[in-house]
Amino acid sequence: MSILLTPARIGGVEIKNRIIMPPMTTRLSDDEGHATDDTIAYYMARVRGGVGMITVEMASPERAGRHRRRELGIYDDRFLPGLTRLVEAIHGGGAKASIQLGHGGGHTRRDICGETPVAPSAIPHPVYEVTNETIVPEAMTRERIAETVAAFARAGARAKAAGFDCVEIHAAHGYLISQFVTPFENRRTDEYGGSLENRARFGLAVLRAVKAAVGTMPVIYRLSVDDYFPEGLVPEEGMQIASWAAQAGADALHIAAGHYRSLPSGERMIPPMAYPDATFLDYAAAVKKRVGVPVIAVGRLGEPKYAEEAVGSGKADFVALGRTLIADPDWVVKLARGEPARRCLACNTCVNEMRGGAQLRCVVNGAAGRERSFESARPPANERIAVIGAGPAGLTYASLVAPGNSVTVFERAERPGGSFRYAGKAPLFQDVVANQESFDRYVRNLEAACAGKGVVFRYGVDVARSPELLEPFGRIVIATGAAYRFGLGPVATALLDRGVARWPLIRQILSMPSLRDWFYHRARSPTGAGFQGLARPGQQVVVIGDALAAGKSRPAIASAFEAALRS
């Protein structure tokens, strides 16, 4: 049995396995911040998937700290009924429940939180929430600091009253506590500024106050140990703060890195596909050597061998899987069954589109954030199904309908992948630097998942030339993608194969939003209509993905979910 599936404790709470879902903003709350049916359905999909402990997304202890619209609320007793209902659902599914208390500090705006933002010092903060604006928060007085510490304590007490098993304090990623410890953002000359001991004072005061308010309930302290920019927190300082937090009573440490001001960009907080697997694991291992409490590692740990190595080698006690569990909420149960999971691309669409105002969505999981839409899923049953095309949409469809059906995938090429065979050779995918291995790994896992469910693959077969191959099937699913107009297809693929798209000037041109939009949409035409005539009378025909409408990967794969589960 994988060591990830063994139980472990945080304080007095036993967690059934080593997998923790970390907090990620969903925008599934209502406008006021109340938990909704969509909130519960989203988390329950991960509970049913076997996660040991769910950490509910960041909730501010006071209104001034709200950093997103539709952010979950905990700053008032009126949020308790919804939070209680959420906890009861998580417990009913067999998982433990935690909630993150996080204050935006200077990283919010009056139009978001309804009050004047506060921070350790009155320096400009760029705040991106649908639009990008720079604000100057109000420097906190000692009295205001005391109010915020007390607000954290009250929020902790509410978490306990709602039935949460643990509470996590957010001291990472450029939010209020992180702003206090980061020299660039803390220009104070009193006992909260200057030396590391002074800069850490506020966060440790919050930790002690929350501990006092919740009694024996375990408190987790999440911190960035490296800000990755000049005048930011450096690793040795971060390690020291981690040690102080353990001494101050933290029952576990959740070790992250990065800041909104990180260089080359803030994406380093949530490392995309160009970054290595287990990005922050060495930081967790270094902290683990210095403290006597459990350590939670995070950051690109979705490949089981890296997660298992993290715990098995003693570098961490738990692994936090965020985007991994958005991409596949059943990651844990699939690990237990020895099945390949649906791989996260680390494309950060879930994060970037949310920051633009959308509810949480995922490129490879069309049900993410829409779980209630699929609660009454009615996939085909007892059918013989032919899927034409082994690109991401075709493979997704096949994997979803394989249980209970006989599925054959026909692919003209000698291998699967479709357009994803070239996606990593372009300069960007979505808004991050592309990395071909991320797409190859995703396709390998998806093909393996299909094969494990009995899907038959026929590579090197062009059904347009041999339509008789489709005669035994009752349902024909056309996932043949889109074709470039104007004879651009061979030219585009040849240039990508030769690495031309990565040449500096070409890279800059191809990264322009208008040109990328043209290549995704107007330069391509769907191919589905040309294959519909292959069907015989009585055969049901379904067209999905780019074969239906040329576009980006997320809507293409989402259409596969719709066709497979809501047919």
Side-chain angles (χ1 to χ4, degrees):
M1 183 174 66
S2 169
I3 192 170
L4 297 176
L5 302 177
T6 61
R9 304 182 74 86
I10 293 179
V13 173
E14 182 170 279
I15 300 168
K16 66 182 179 181
N17 58 48
R18 308 301 183 98
I19 310 301
I20 292 175
M21 184 174 187
M24 290 187 70
T25 301
T26 64
R27 293 194 196 272
L28 296 176
S29 305
D30 67 14
D31 290 338
E32 287 296 309
H34 297 279
T36 64
D37 290 342
D38 287 335
T39 307
I40 294 172
Y42 168 77
Y43 287 115
M44 286 306 296
R46 280 81 201 162
V47 171
R48 288 190 296 271
V51 174
M53 184 164 75
I54 299 288
T55 309
V56 175
E57 62 207 81
M58 172 174 162
S60 177
E62 56 183 8
R63 188 174 178 83
R66 287 170 58 88
H67 81 305
R68 301 280 181 213
R69 296 184 178 92
R70 301 191 71 175
E71 176 179 291
L72 189 67
I74 198 171
Y75 61 85
D76 190 275
D77 287 347
R78 70 177 184 272
F79 298 113
L80 276 172
L83 294 173
T84 302
R85 188 163 70 97
L86 174 58
V87 172
E88 289 174 348
I90 292 172
H91 285 165
K96 301 300 184 183
S98 181
I99 187 169
Q100 185 184 72
L101 306 181
H103 193 298
H107 202 77
T108 187
R109 303 190 307 246
R110 177 180 282 275
D111 63 301
I112 300 168
C113 69
E115 298 184 10
T116 301
V118 296
S121 301
I123 65 167
H125 283 251
V127 179
Y128 185 75
E129 165 70 354
V130 183
T131 60
N132 193 28
E133 298 178 27
T134 297
I135 64 105
V136 178
E138 183 179 276
M140 298 173 76
T141 63
R142 290 184 179 87
E143 291 75 21
R144 187 68 179 84
I145 288 172
E147 290 176 12
T148 301
V149 171
F152 268 99
R154 290 192 296 271
R158 288 189 194 99
K160 183 176 182 179
F164 284 98
D165 302 284
C166 300
V167 64
E168 178 174 282
I169 296 171
H170 196 0
H173 297 161
Y175 295 107
L176 183 61
I177 295 176
S178 171
Q179 291 161 23
F180 268 89
V181 301
T182 298
F184 182 83
E185 294 184 325
N186 184 342
R187 314 288 177 84
R188 303 177 71 96
T189 58
D190 61 6
E191 68 271 27
Y192 292 98
S195 68
L196 179 63
E197 184 178 13
N198 283 355
R199 286 182 278 125
R201 189 183 306 277
F202 171 70
L204 297 178
V206 167
L207 171 58
R208 294 186 183 99
V210 172
K211 286 285 294 180
V214 302
T216 59
M217 179 183 183
V219 178
I220 302 166
Y221 200 73
R222 187 183 198 191
L223 70 156
S224 293
V225 294
D226 191 342
D227 283 342
Y228 298 129
F229 73 95
E231 296 186 67
L233 194 72
V234 297
E236 187 50 43
E237 289 183 325
M239 303 291 174
Q240 181 59 65
I241 294 173
S243 295
W244 286 339
Q247 294 166 14
D251 295 279
L253 298 172
H254 188 171
I255 304 302
H259 187 286
Y260 277 102
R261 299 182 192 268
S262 291
L263 297 176
S265 76
E267 72 181 16
R268 294 192 72 168
M269 295 182 294
I270 309 169
M273 63 177 71
Y275 288 80
D277 288 296
T279 314
F280 305 139
L281 181 57
D282 287 345
Y283 291 134
V287 170
K288 178 69 178 168
K289 292 178 180 178
R290 301 175 65 147
V291 301
V293 299
V295 169
I296 304 166
V298 71
R300 299 292 310 275
L301 289 166
E303 186 69 21
K305 66 179 180 181
Y306 295 116
E308 289 172 336
E309 192 274 336
V311 176
S313 65
K315 293 179 179 179
D317 300 279
F318 296 88
V319 292
L321 304 179
R323 293 168 293 174
T324 294
L325 291 170
I326 295 174
D328 194 339
D330 293 326
W331 192 94
V332 180
V333 295
K334 288 180 178 178
L335 175 71
R337 295 196 299 249
E339 298 176 12
R342 184 187 304 117
R343 285 289 303 169
C344 168
L345 295 173
C347 65
N348 281 7
T349 298
C350 52
V351 180
N352 293 334
E353 289 192 358
M354 179 277 298
R355 287 174 178 161
Q359 292 182 325
L360 184 139
R361 296 291 185 266
C362 174
V363 165
V364 301
N365 180 7
R370 303 175 59 230
E371 286 76 13
R372 291 182 66 215
S373 299
F374 296 94
E375 284 179 343
S376 300
R378 294 182 179 86
N382 301 312
E383 294 188 20
R384 296 193 71 182
I385 302 173
V387 178
I388 308 174
L395 291 175
T396 296
Y397 182 94
S399 71
L400 293 171
V401 302
N405 296 286
S406 175
V407 182
T408 300
V409 175
F410 295 93
E411 170 56 52
R412 184 172 56 186
E414 296 293 340
R415 55 188 174 135
S419 61
F420 268 18
R421 294 203 305 271
Y422 296 95
K425 299 176 182 180
L428 298 175
F429 180 79
Q430 302 295 83
D431 293 317
V432 305
V433 174
N435 179 357
Q436 188 60 44
E437 173 56 24
S438 183
F439 301 98
D440 292 344
R441 187 159 57 182
Y442 165 76
V443 171
R444 286 196 302 268
N445 270 35
L446 198 48
E447 181 191 33
C450 288
K453 297 173 183 177
V455 174
V456 175
F457 287 93
R458 298 285 303 276
Y459 291 120
V461 175
D462 186 351
V463 295
R465 295 184 177 182
S466 305
E468 69 277 2
L469 295 173
L470 299 176
E471 291 180 5
F473 299 95
R475 184 184 298 253
I476 298 173
V477 179
I478 302 172
T480 48
Y484 277 101
R485 297 187 175 101
F486 321 117
L488 286 175
V491 176
T493 55
L495 292 176
L496 290 170
D497 281 334
R498 292 172 185 172
V500 173
R502 297 299 180 101
W503 294 359
L505 180 59
I506 302 298
R507 180 190 188 97
Q508 185 176 356
I509 293 171
L510 293 180
S511 298
M512 296 171 57
S514 58
L515 189 61
R516 293 176 66 211
D517 182 71
W518 184 80
F519 268 107
Y520 276 119
H521 299 96
R522 293 185 295 278
R524 300 195 302 157
S525 57
T527 60
F531 285 84
Q532 293 191 57
L534 301 178
R536 301 291 181 90
Q539 290 179 316
Q540 183 172 353
V541 178
V542 180
V543 185
I544 63 173
D546 283 351
L548 179 64
K552 291 189 174 183
S553 301
R554 186 169 75 76
I557 294 174
S559 75
F561 271 79
E562 293 285 340
L565 301 180
R566 302 176 70 184
S567 61

